[in-house]
Amino acid sequence: MAPSVTASDPKPEANKIGKRSDIPPQLQVLGKTKDGRDLKVRRYPTFQSLEDERVYRKQHLAAAFRLFADRGFDEGVAGHISVRDPILTDHFWINPLSAHFSLIKVSDLILVDEDGLVVEGDEPINAPAFAIHSEIHKARPDVNAACHAHSVAGKAFSCFGRELEMITQDALRFYKSHGVYRDFKGVVLDREEGQRIVAALSGGKAVILQNHGLLTVGESVDEAAFWFISLDKTCQAQLLADAASAAGYKKIIIDEEEASYAALQVGGPEKGWLAFQPYYDEQVAKTKGEFLL
């Protein structure tokens, strides 16, 4: 069962509205009813204990794997999602090496320490996963989760070794918040390679791994997983737009002022977390909560 939680206050990022002051009055009252009552907006919960938060993180990690399977992001033993343990903060939970994403449950998750030693679980983990995720968790204390998979659109777009163009509203989630890692050296097996990927990620939420795939991070596993889904779709949209432009159609790039403003509205951590919640609900309903065990 899910831990006992209560709604937390909004994070500071939720109150950012950019440089504009012309927010329409109707948008300022979307959280209220006509008779003045506040509506309940879902937010990242607070917890009665760190043990409860650990359960929550593991449940949402298991859901993220199920969600990735539904979208065809699995490919053999490739792909991994991790979430930092809230108690042992230099440890993280990750998928076992040979478990299919669609079958992963909370009880299947593996806890590893900063040296890659298994603390909880009976199966090994993916060696490249450790090389990448351990360095991310070490270098980015603001990051609690990371996702990497070999999605088709992600692989196709990665071969160009280029950043996204700001041509759609959804692309703005990654405005000045994604990088490209261009030094493809085969399968990632050492920490130095992981460190170079972290450098390409910089302080952003995503990195396109040239000739490889996509990687996203977030304050929560919910956020990181949603960024991955959105980034993959954005790569697909970019490929379609590039194909159409080759036939003579001109792409219209969103200008810097609009991009900078809109990115605050669609790219904050709380927006990523919230966007994942319908998918989580879907997984609970589809599986009757089977993955929570």
Side-chain angles (χ1 to χ4, degrees):
M1 298 294 292
S4 174
V5 299
T6 57
S8 66
D9 292 331
K11 296 181 181 180
E13 293 89 340
N15 298 319
K16 293 180 180 177
I17 58 172
K19 297 180 180 179
R20 299 182 179 185
S21 58
D22 58 340
I23 305 300
Q26 63 269 28
L27 295 183
Q28 298 177 19
V29 296
L30 288 180
K32 290 185 177 295
T33 64
K34 191 169 184 178
D35 60 5
R37 290 177 292 111
D38 289 332
L39 296 172
K40 295 179 180 180
V41 181
R42 294 172 75 168
R43 297 188 177 97
Y44 190 87
T46 55
F47 302 90
Q48 294 180 355
S49 69
L50 289 176
E51 287 77 10
D52 281 349
E53 184 164 14
R54 172 185 278 171
V55 171
Y56 178 92
R57 291 188 185 189
K58 291 171 69 178
Q59 289 175 340
H60 286 243
L61 176 58
F65 287 117
R66 299 295 183 107
L67 184 59
F68 273 34
D70 285 351
R71 279 149 184 79
F73 294 164
D74 58 291
E75 187 159 347
V77 298
H80 20 87
I81 309 174
S82 69
V83 67
R84 190 190 302 274
D85 187 80
I87 300 173
L88 305 170
T89 56
D90 58 351
H91 293 45
F92 57 88
W93 296 90
I94 198 165
N95 48 306
L97 176 63
S98 60
H100 194 273
F101 286 179
S102 68
L103 301 176
I104 290 177
K105 299 183 291 188
V106 166
S107 57
D108 297 318
L109 299 172
I110 307 296
L111 179 66
V112 296
D113 68 11
E114 59 184 354
D115 296 316
L117 298 175
V118 172
V119 177
E120 287 191 32
D122 300 317
E123 295 188 46
I125 67 168
N126 184 297
F130 176 75
I132 295 172
H133 291 255
S134 62
E135 295 305 321
I136 291 173
H137 287 290
K138 188 182 302 181
R140 294 280 302 274
D142 60 310
V143 163
N144 287 319
C147 303
H148 168 62
H150 297 177
S151 62
V152 174
K155 287 189 293 186
F157 187 75
S158 76
C159 73
F160 296 104
R162 55 184 281 227
E163 293 185 3
L164 296 165
E165 292 177 335
M166 297 297 107
I167 54 176
T168 68
Q169 178 174 292
D170 293 336
L172 296 178
R173 294 185 176 116
F174 307 98
Y175 174 72
K176 293 189 176 180
S177 190
H178 75 289
V180 179
Y181 179 66
R182 297 183 174 88
D183 298 322
F184 178 73
K185 300 182 184 300
V187 178
V188 180
L189 291 174
D190 60 74
R191 288 188 168 188
E192 289 74 17
E193 182 76 348
Q195 291 165 4
R196 288 190 286 271
I197 290 173
V198 170
L201 176 64
S202 187
K205 61 168 66 81
V207 61
I208 296 165
L209 307 175
Q210 184 177 302
N211 305 113
H212 188 170
L214 309 175
L215 186 147
T216 59
V217 300
E219 292 181 10
S220 64
V221 68
D222 310 62
E223 179 194 351
F226 179 73
W227 295 151
F228 191 97
I229 293 167
S230 181
L231 181 58
D232 183 71
K233 289 184 174 182
T234 301
C235 287
Q236 183 180 15
Q238 178 79 62
L239 292 168
L240 291 170
D242 287 347
S245 67
Y249 294 96
K250 181 181 178 180
K251 286 181 287 187
I252 298 173
I253 308 297
I254 299 170
D255 68 50
E256 289 288 316
E257 181 181 359
E258 293 296 333
S260 179
Y261 169 73
L264 294 174
Q265 313 308 307
V266 299
E270 75 291 339
K271 298 294 176 63
W273 177 87
L274 181 61
F276 182 83
Q277 301 319 299
Y279 297 129
Y280 181 83
D281 296 342
E282 177 194 30
Q283 291 302 316
V284 173
K286 282 174 58 175
T287 67
K288 294 182 171 54
E290 183 258 349
F291 69 90
L292 299 173
L293 303 176

